[in-house]
Amino acid sequence: MVENRPFRDFMAYLTLVIGVIIVAFPVYLAIMASTFDTATIINGNMPLTPGDQAPENYTRALFYGGKLAREPVSMMMMNSMIMALGIAFGKILISILSAYAVVYFKFPFRKTAFWVIFITLMLPVEVRIYPTYKIVADLGLLDTYTGLIMPLIASATGTLLFRQFFMTVPDELLEASKIDGAGAFRFFKDTLLPLSMTTIAALFVIQFIYGWNQYLWPLLITTKSSMQTIVIGIKKMITTTDALTEWQIAMTTAVLAMVPPVLVVIFMQRLFVKGLVETEK
Amino acid sequence: MAGVTLDTVRKIYAGNVEAVKGVSLGIEDGSFCVLVGPSGCGKSTLLRMIAGLETISGGDIKIGDRVVNQVEPADRDIAMVFQNYALYPHMSVYDNMAYGLKNRKTPKDEIDKRVKEAARILAIEPFLDRKPRALSGGQRQRVAMGRAIVRKPQVFLFDEPLSNLDAKLRVQMRVEIKRLQKALGVTSVYVTHDQVEAMTLSDKLVVMSGGQIEQVGTPSEVYRRPETRFVATFIGSPPMNILPGKVEGPGRVSVGGQTIAVTDMRDGLTPGSAIEVGLRPEDVQAGGGAGSSSIAMDVDFVEELGATQLFHGKVAGTEFVVQASTGQIAADTRKLTLSIDPANVHLFDPQTTKRLGRD
């Protein structure tokens, strides 16, 4: 279709630009705030152009920490990274295996097993938080990475995603591999896993960000400051009672906290699209 | 090499649905056996049981001298070509063909030799590095056959392998499959619902219906002397006309008051009893002829097929089709007198639908 309507084009771009500004401006403001000192931000007249405090702010935040949350951000990022990766990989592993079992094996109570998994969808961490906390505490997993990661792995989203995908894989592929002498494990490894790469990538992105952004669970289960995640760190830096909030450090931390999820999205998106184009069942 | 023997093989699905009802069949070593029938007749189930993809509810399946009822598909020494090819989408053509051999721990140079040879036979050498998605339907079909060939199995199993191809390619691949099977001499079992494929490919044609075998024979036997009304109407295109008639006496039946002489008629049929008279559209001629009976037909319309024309109409109130070479009968003909060679009349029992010919 050939269209030459300058006014329409202009309106379309205008709407787009306004939308982008609404979404991006707070982020821009945070990035700018991370380049000034406290005084400039507090007096309410912060310029919208970059200041000269960036190197100092970032070094301080990364390696020394703020006045209130005294842990360096690098350590918090490491904690968050371990948690997010643990959740993402743990969930992929658990859910791909359980989906494989539910779809490809006939065993007693298969339907029941599926429904039990399905029901957990209705019970996010926030709902089952007390019993979960009790279990984790009784197992002595408070202030450990295992305690941070494990309860968040147990949910059905991944299993459902893989189940849906496996259902679209033609049965003949399984039968052809049976005739080709591949057993259950080899079919999984040689055929199903390579075909699932796109689904795995999608799930990784979702779960990494989910894990990285966790707030409530780490807040409950970690007490040691050495186990603190970055989201909690930011919160601690902002909520102050008797001291001046170090906004520049809080904003610096916020900017740093954005980096890994953004990188994951950018990097995985490529794999995603590539997978979407290349995979054919 | 080995033949395949089925001994009263049965398949009962959950809910007591009997898909295969006691089929016995011997497929000789090196022969090409085609199972043909309408959908749901159990032909695919039977093939899948030979492959080991379905359990056997009763009876025995033997490949060679070995009963394989409890043997895993991989250990039955068979290879199967699927309707949708079932190629591994993430593997190259080469890997697709080599996968089964790799799983069997065949030495690498042996795999390479066999894959290259199969690729040469099937003319897919230029595509060995490509993924299946980069191939056309016909090429994928060849790869699927290549995957079967490299295994050097005792039996090839084909599950409607040509149904996903367009008409022209189907004819071409049909010829190739036949040639390949003759060249390799491997016992083959081929399932199809297409009677042209069935007729052209088979040494042994097995017509199935409702989980049972209707008739086994060479294609010409099945065409010339169908044992049941089902076979008569299933094999042949357009299908055989079936007219309700009456027995007049030895070698004579009547349809709507017109007498037809019959060569192949069972002795001792009660005159006056009902009988079904089968006439192939290509076996009746327009106009009277010496030594043949004639019947009248009202023509409704004509279908042009190029070389031939199909005249649709009614004989004694029953639908009837006549096939004639183009130009033989004027297209605007409304009334036809058909002459019938007594040797071309097939008689069937209306109750049992069995052929009422000489034993």
Side-chain angles (χ1 to χ4, degrees), chain A residues 132-147:
Chain A
T132 313
Y133 181 84
K134 171 81 174 136
I135 290 169
V136 170
D138 287 355
L139 289 172
L141 293 174
L142 296 179
D143 275 325
T144 62
Y145 289 122
T146 319

Side-chain angles (χ1 to χ4, degrees), chain A residues 104 166-175 187 195 281, chain B residues 84 86:
Chain A
Y104 286 99
F166 290 167
M167 306 268 264
T168 67
V169 174
D171 287 344
E172 282 86 353
L173 274 187
L174 173 65
E175 291 171 352
F187 170 66
L195 290 178
K281 280 158 269 159
Chain B
N84 63 5

Side-chain angles (χ1 to χ4, degrees), chain A residues 170 172-182 186-187 190-192 194-195 277-281, chain B residues 48 53 73-74 78-80 82 84 86-91 99-100 103-105 133 140 147 151:
Chain A
E172 282 86 353
L173 274 187
L174 173 65
E175 291 171 352
S177 10
K178 268 189 193 166
I179 291 176
D180 271 340
R186 216 179 257 172
F187 170 66
D190 288 348
T191 306
L192 220 44
L195 290 178
V277 176
E278 282 196 350
T279 313
E280 185 190 323
K281 280 158 269 159
Chain B
R48 293 166 57 80
L53 299 171
I78 46 129
M80 188 155 170
F82 294 88
N84 63 5
L87 300 175
Y88 309 114
H90 56 292
M91 294 185 199
Y99 186 62
N103 287 342
R104 279 183 180 69
K105 310 257 186 301
R133 91 188 105 78
R140 285 181 209 191
R147 187 165 66 178
R151 297 263 310 280

